[in-house]
Amino acid sequence: MYTFRELQKAAKKKVDGKEVRIAVLGNCATQFFSNAVQGYSKKVGMNVNLYDADYNQIDAQLLDRNSEVLKFEPDNIILWLGTEKIYEEFLDINLEERNGFADMYIQKILHYWELIEKNSHARIIQLNFCEIDDKVMGNYSCKVESTFIYQIRKLNFLLQEKMKDRKSVYPVDILSIQIKIGERDFYDAPLYYNAKMNVSINALPYLAKAVVDVLVAINGNIKKCVICDLDNTLWGGIIGDDGMGGIQIGELGAGHAFTNLQRWIKQLKEYGIILAICSKNNEDTAKEPFECHEEMVLRMNDIALFVANWNDKATNIKMIQKGLNIGMDSIIFLDDNSFERNLVRNLIPEIEVPELPEDPALYLEYIQEQNYFETASYTGENMDRTKQYQAEFQRKKLELSFTSIDDYLKSLNMIGTVNRFEPMRYARIAQLTQRSNQFNLRTIRYTEDEIEKIAEDESYIPLYYTLQDKFGEHGLVSVLILQVKSDKEVFIDTWLMSCRVLKRGMEEFIINEMVEIVGKNGYEKISAEYIPTSKNKMVEKIYEKMGFSFIGENHYELYIKNYKKQNVFILKED
């Protein structure tokens, strides 16, 4: 963890890239906190422009449409309602009213959210509440509704419940930081009374990391895959030497640590993280525990790609990455062996390789502390991802049996659909705008609320595409948002596509259907823009390939009457 002094220095540095505008509002002194957030942002390469509002000015800044915060036009507003100030408000009301304090205070927070949503386009970064146990009734306070510990815990629960329904609100769990580092390190009483700072100087880097983790996820930089070694990583011992009966797994002894690590990794898979195996082993030997060991938590159907051979691990990881068609910087590699870790780091610098502790009992705690898998949205559809990648592996095997790519594509019996945005799809569409980086022409991020507004706005033609073939469903694979510019022209505000369906004719199918829909609606021209990023170079020439004319500075246009339909082997579902 960085020190606060290191973050102060980093905050002064210049970082290139898209500017992310942040405003900080708090009922406490937030200057040092803002400084830490700015510094940590720049440490991870984020170009942050941050406005720190004056002390305890939340109401004044949000009620006045001409306030400094709203004029700043932030992309994100951080709301920090410190527990110390809340505690003082709690003590200022009479005993009878304290029973309803949490219910009353959550309404105040909801009012703030409504003002932000009404008067700005900003996402809301909401910090939850640390605990103050004033021991007014000792341990018995947990049973008495009028005590502060009862009410602050209720308030945290109500906050979680309300955030579930607000797609523009993103939580930051500072209570977990208080628990992790301990009250004595988290809070500095003299600092609070003298400077109105709610946390100690030493706690600021932890808070800054938590906030920046969320900002990074919102901006699409997320981890999608964990690749695991086997021997002494997922189980104790060496399967090739010790055999099935000799490896450590299960509830007894050292095996318990490996079992809990597997439980956690399986949970990652259930929430959409891709699991892959990279092991120096004979494949049949490596698979045996997954297939036959009764105490294994992970099974073969949990693994998207299983690679076990005697090649070096960097080569195998590159093969896995190519098979999954995801960015190398979205992968985490877990291996107990320091030689293998250093090899992969040196040959693949983009990949994240945790420096696992020597003691396997500490693996899980260490990985959890790093918070590699921060998430900005969740739809539930990710649970099918492993099956989709397993089906993709079958497609690639089939492809090898054909000498003609056209014959192979015909054999897939592909069916595509195109539909306008629907409420049941809003969450998935928003998630794709936040997660897609490679095939994304403008890399504009949208929240679910913003997607809903676009769907209901007549000045947009918002489309989503799905694809299926004989191996199964690819699901929703592309989003296309057309903005009406005039009675003759529409502009491609957003075009993104899952890289899983590249080189199947899906991009041609998308353009064919788009042109047909635009033409039927009476428009004559489609204009487009490509905004280059460090990750989307693969699509820099896509518009020219699809028949658009280059008109300068990454801008393109296509007249409907001049369009020649692209040849594809995807049938449109009626």
Side-chain angles (χ1 to χ4, degrees), residues 448-470:
E448 189 173 336
D449 285 345
E450 289 168 333
I451 290 298
E452 182 177 357
K453 290 175 184 176
I454 288 172
E456 296 173 352
D457 189 336
E458 292 183 356
S459 64
Y460 287 92
I461 303 174
L463 306 172
Y464 74 86
Y465 293 77
T466 69
L467 181 67
Q468 62 176 305
D469 60 30
K470 67 182 182 180

Side-chain angles (χ1 to χ4, degrees), residues 533-568:
T533 71
S534 61
K535 296 184 178 181
N536 71 354
K537 189 174 177 62
M538 67 182 298
V539 293
E540 65 177 337
K541 301 295 183 183
I542 189 72
Y543 283 124
E544 292 174 77
K545 180 183 175 184
M546 296 298 158
F548 283 70
S549 298
F550 176 70
I551 58 175
E553 296 184 355
N554 293 323
H555 284 79
Y556 303 83
E557 65 182 18
L558 173 71
Y559 285 91
I560 302 299
K561 65 180 181 180
N562 297 332
Y563 181 69
K564 295 180 180 179
K565 194 170 184 178
Q566 303 282 331
N567 183 40
V568 296

Side-chain angles (χ1 to χ4, degrees), residues 62-155:
L62 295 183
L63 287 167
D64 181 5
R65 292 188 178 183
N66 294 312
S67 70
E68 295 88 345
V69 165
L70 295 180
K71 282 185 175 180
F72 180 67
E73 297 185 348
D75 304 306
N76 308 277
I77 292 178
I78 299 173
L79 272 182
W80 185 6
L81 298 161
T83 307
E84 288 72 20
K85 195 75 175 177
I86 296 173
Y87 181 51
E88 292 165 5
E89 292 180 40
F90 175 81
L91 294 179
D92 283 341
I93 62 178
N94 62 51
L95 189 61
E96 290 76 20
E97 292 176 321
R98 291 176 190 172
N99 287 348
F101 182 82
D103 297 284
M104 174 198 72
Y105 208 89
I106 198 67
Q107 294 306 313
K108 182 177 185 177
I109 296 168
L110 291 174
H111 180 55
Y112 289 152
W113 293 352
E114 288 162 3
L115 288 172
I116 292 171
E117 290 169 348
K118 179 181 178 182
N119 296 324
S120 81
H121 67 274
R123 302 176 182 89
I124 302 164
I125 313 295
Q126 178 69 60
L127 279 63
N128 68 356
F129 306 103
C130 300
E131 292 188 359
I132 295 176
D133 185 358
D134 59 8
K135 298 298 183 185
V136 68
M137 299 180 74
N139 291 299
Y140 200 81
S141 300
C142 299
K143 292 181 64 175
V144 180
E145 194 171 358
S146 60
T147 64
F148 186 70
I149 194 65
Y150 187 104
Q151 289 296 316
I152 198 67
R153 287 175 178 172
K154 182 179 180 181
L155 183 56

